[in-house]
Amino acid sequence: VVVELKDRTVFGRADTTSPRQPDVDLTPFGALEKGVSRIHAAIERNEDVLTLVDMGSSNGTHLNGQRLAPDSPRVLRDGDEMRLGKLVAHIYFQ
């Protein structure tokens, strides 16, 4: 899946009962079963740097196997592995 990033792009799973919705809905990829929170993590763009930040998710966000502390951005690099709960994605830049 190709995602066009904004300054802040939120990943999670959609829920019709919640007022906040993610920019990228991971429901089609088994998000609920894999423990992805409604508002799980975000990729933030600041000039030429992309960072991944956990937004207080229930099941955690990992970058290359290391758990992120909530609200503590980590720099993303081409080919990195991002895990939201048990849902794994690899990040590639175009």
Side-chain angles (χ1 to χ4, degrees):
V1 175
V2 175
V3 176
E4 190 75 30
L5 295 176
K6 302 183 284 188
D7 287 341
R8 179 177 226 204
T9 303
V10 176
F11 293 78
R13 60 181 171 80
D15 180 351
T16 56
T17 64
S18 176
R20 291 184 65 200
Q21 298 296 321
D23 299 309
V24 179
D25 178 15
L26 299 172
T27 302
F29 305 99
L32 180 61
E33 299 79 17
K34 293 179 179 173
V36 176
S37 296
R38 291 177 187 93
I39 301 297
H40 197 107
I43 293 178
E44 297 177 344
R45 181 172 53 192
N46 188 349
E47 295 178 23
D48 290 338
V49 178
L50 293 178
T51 57
L52 176 65
V53 60
D54 179 85
M55 299 181 71
S57 65
S58 298
N59 295 307
T61 301
H62 293 75
L63 180 60
N64 298 321
Q66 291 192 324
R67 188 173 180 135
L68 275 63
D71 302 313
S72 297
R74 295 276 303 279
V75 174
L76 274 178
R77 292 181 173 78
D78 191 47
D80 278 353
E81 179 184 276
M82 169 176 84
R83 184 161 49 94
L84 310 180
K86 293 181 181 172
L87 181 76
V88 176
H90 290 90
I91 307 297
Y92 299 103
F93 303 149
Q94 287 187 331

